[in-house]
Amino acid sequence: MPGRPVAWLALFLAGNLATLLLIHAGRLVGYQHYPPLPRLLHDSSPLLLGVFGVQALAVLWGVARARRNVAELLRRYRGSALLLVAAGFVLTSATLSRDPASYFGELAFASFVQLIQLGNILLLAGSLNDGWLAAAGRFFDRCLGRPGVAVVEPEGPDRWAWPLAGAFTLFAASLAFFVYQRHPHVPDEVVYLFHARYFAAGKLAMPLPPVPDAFSVDLMTYQATRWFSPVPPGWPAILALGARLGLPWLVNPILGGINILLAYALLRELYPRRTARLATVLLAVSPWHLFMAMNFMTHTATLTCALAAALAVARLRRDPRLRWALLGGFFLGVVGLIRPLDGLTVALLLGVWSLGARGKRFRFGPSAALTVATAFTAALVFPYNRALTGSARVFPLMQYTDAAYGAGTNALGFGPNRGLGWPGVDPFPGHGPIDVAVNANFNLFQTNVELLGWATGSLLLLLLWLGSGRLRRSDWMMLSVIVLV
């Protein structure tokens, strides 16, 4: 392919920066959008439009000259597979808008942006000389392991995973300290920190302050003699360990590093070393994982416990001992104590996967032990509920949302009263089938944007993998874990 590597790299970085600056994210709760094309051309900086225009023209020229190489790449996929990849590539490039014309216009422009960035990457790769590629290949072989080795050798974290996890924790902690300033930024984080602090003091609730209005905080329940956070207790209990030491901001960075170790150990149960190492690198550089590891939200701890449970079940499948079932059930129960619905979905998924384990005396013994351990751990929420609401079956959060937003607004199922009325992320009143489609679109779009932060879309390699038709049962299991968690 024509061109010099440095020129293509500079053009890619400049074009990526320009298109990022063209996006309007807004200051309220909502999703990012490119402006409608007329407003984009009229209101955007001529410099940004010019940079992207130069990149687009250069890439189109380069791809036209290298069309034989591009055609050779495309011939590796069947026509139906290419249609699947193309549909996923386009439909995840932008999220919905109220005006259909604006949505389809943005979908076309965003897809064109991703396509230009992809073409730029291909031209950059094609401009590298054989000597450099050979040297790079030898380097990656030393770091990741030899290609083509399909042997799965289960093992724990090694000299590859530990430094990567340490570097991730250090970087996430630096961001939490210098950028996030060790301070909660959204109401959810505020109540998690409150919750963790009074848990660390050995209390289930706090005495009502003399002037409750001076301490008015969203997601807090105020009663005659006490006030408390209604959110599930799992994450505040973990965060309380950091609050007890005066370092709550350091909990998620540490858990993020632990996620690197757990992900590597889990992948080594299923894939060769090279695949496990490459996937772990992608997790370590994921903007989503990094951002969630520097804040006070629940997601990083949820992932930690889900990975620990999946690793225990993977060990259970090849070594059906009681300890793996109990350990997996404990962590599944903790996921339920952090985020109940996530706990339910992950428990169902791993429960089915655990059926592959075979005990010596009872075929379903490992799965039964896993189920009992999960139920026992998750049931710890019932005495907690009783202490705060007076009923083991009434969750504090449901009691709070019923009082603050109306009965049934946070309940499962469909109905006109469902939802908290946030138009930025819930455009239709209530919850019905159309909301399912909207939420699926939102989630896929955000995954495409945030998971890896690639200008070509984070789902590109996944789409190509799905289109290849070479997935094993373990591949589908890992894909399900990614989607659900």
Side-chain angles (χ1 to χ4, degrees), residues 77-102:
Y77 289 85
R78 299 189 306 273
S80 58
L82 280 177
L83 286 176
L84 171 67
V85 172
F89 186 84
V90 171
L91 294 175
T92 59
S93 65
T95 193
L96 297 171
S97 299
R98 288 186 178 275
D99 179 22
S102 297

Side-chain angles (χ1 to χ4, degrees), residues 43-332:
D43 297 341
S44 300
S45 165
L47 176 62
L48 300 179
L49 294 173
V51 169
F52 177 63
V54 169
Q55 183 195 26
L57 291 174
V59 168
L60 292 173
W61 168 80
V63 170
R65 294 194 60 185
R67 57 186 178 275
R68 292 183 179 177
N69 293 340
V70 175
E72 181 64 28
L73 287 174
L74 296 178
R75 274 196 290 268
R76 299 181 182 182
Y77 289 85
R78 299 189 306 273
S80 58
L82 280 177
L83 286 176
L84 171 67
V85 172
F89 186 84
V90 171
L91 294 175
T92 59
S93 65
T95 193
L96 297 171
S97 299
R98 288 186 178 275
D99 179 22
S102 297
Y103 169 61
F104 288 111
E106 183 184 7
L107 205 63
F109 180 74
S111 300
F112 179 68
V113 169
Q114 286 189 165
L115 196 61
I116 291 299
Q117 307 303 337
L118 176 59
N120 200 150
I121 290 293
L122 292 176
L123 292 168
L124 170 60
S127 66
L128 300 172
N129 61 59
D130 293 340
W132 193 96
L133 288 174
R138 290 191 295 271
F139 172 77
F140 287 122
D141 289 347
R142 288 196 301 271
C143 292
L144 302 175
R146 292 181 293 110
V149 178
V151 178
V152 176
E153 299 174 333
E155 63 179 9
D158 57 14
R159 63 181 182 178
W160 166 267
W162 284 104
L164 191 64
F168 179 90
T169 296
L170 182 61
F171 190 43
S174 300
L175 291 176
F177 188 92
F178 293 107
V179 177
Y180 221 64
Q181 298 179 326
R182 300 169 294 164
H183 185 73
H185 284 63
V186 298
D188 302 57
E189 292 177 303
V190 173
V191 298
Y192 292 143
L193 191 54
F194 274 177
H195 207 159
R197 285 175 175 172
Y198 66 75
F199 269 7
K203 300 178 180 179
L204 290 180
M206 297 178 288
L208 193 70
V211 185
D213 289 344
F215 295 86
S216 179
V217 179
D218 190 23
L219 280 174
M220 292 293 290
T221 295
Y222 299 85
Q223 295 180 343
T225 60
R226 61 180 184 173
W227 63 318
F228 56 86
S229 167
V231 299
W235 168 234
I238 297 172
L239 189 60
L241 299 175
R244 183 73 176 177
L245 299 174
L247 298 169
W249 60 273
L250 199 53
V251 174
N252 263 341
I254 292 175
L255 291 177
I258 293 174
N259 288 346
I260 302 294
L261 301 176
L262 290 172
Y264 182 76
L266 174 61
L267 291 167
R268 291 293 284 122
E269 294 282 336
L270 304 172
Y271 301 102
R273 178 178 298 167
R274 185 181 180 93
T275 302
R277 288 184 170 182
L278 184 57
T280 308
V281 169
L282 293 178
L283 176 63
V285 300
S286 165
W288 169 83
H289 187 222
L290 184 62
F291 176 70
M292 300 315 297
M294 74 179 228
N295 61 33
F296 293 88
M297 296 295 282
T298 62
H299 304 73
T300 300
T302 303
L303 181 59
T304 303
C305 295
L307 287 172
L311 177 59
V313 173
R315 296 277 174 87
L316 180 68
R317 284 171 57 88
R318 64 177 174 86
D319 181 19
R321 298 187 187 182
L322 182 63
R323 64 184 181 186
W324 296 122
L326 297 180
L327 193 62
F330 169 76
F331 282 109
L332 281 174

